[in-house]
Amino acid sequence: MSQNQKPKKQKHWLYREENRRKLWLIQFGILFVAILPEFFMHHHASFEAQGIHLDASPTFYAWYGFLTCAAMVLAAKLLGYVLKRKDDYYDDEQQR
């Protein structure tokens, strides 16, 4: 290798194409192992007297957590649009 040539920088292992499929499979494997015990446990409904048994179904808390997190991300995105200021907002205040 001559002095003018730089060695090719290798990507981090998380960003390499050949590892993407492996990472997805590992992620789904972990998800499966985490949800599997839900089907063998007895869940008690919190609002059984009112006839609501939704929270006693398997994987309810996983879906509830996911949907709640997604709703918080959307609410933060909308709040960002409402509270957004121009990049030179503070510069305008100093000129007055």
Side-chain angles (χ1 to χ4, degrees):
M1 189 181 336
S2 68
Q3 291 179 345
N4 293 340
Q5 290 180 340
K6 293 181 181 179
K8 188 175 181 180
K9 188 175 179 181
Q10 192 174 11
K11 288 183 179 180
H12 191 269
W13 68 273
L14 288 172
Y15 297 108
R16 290 187 215 145
E17 280 296 321
E18 64 267 13
N19 292 335
R20 185 171 291 171
R21 181 172 167 79
K22 294 174 194 172
L23 289 170
W24 276 105
L25 290 174
I26 290 170
Q27 180 182 358
F28 285 126
I30 291 171
L31 178 65
F32 177 74
V33 168
I35 290 179
L36 187 64
E38 292 282 328
F39 295 104
F40 300 105
M41 295 173 55
H42 176 69
H43 299 280
H44 300 281
S46 298
F47 301 102
E48 194 170 16
Q50 289 85 5
I52 301 172
H53 299 281
L54 182 63
D55 57 339
S57 63
T59 69
F60 167 75
Y61 290 104
W63 284 109
Y64 179 73
F66 174 76
L67 293 176
T68 304
C69 181
M72 288 191 300
V73 168
L74 290 175
K77 197 80 152 156
L78 291 173
L79 190 60
Y81 287 127
V82 171
L83 299 177
K84 189 188 317 186
R85 301 286 182 245
K86 292 187 283 185
D87 288 338
D88 60 351
Y89 174 76
Y90 292 106
D91 294 337
D92 289 344
E93 290 293 323
Q94 293 174 355
Q95 293 174 358
R96 291 183 189 179

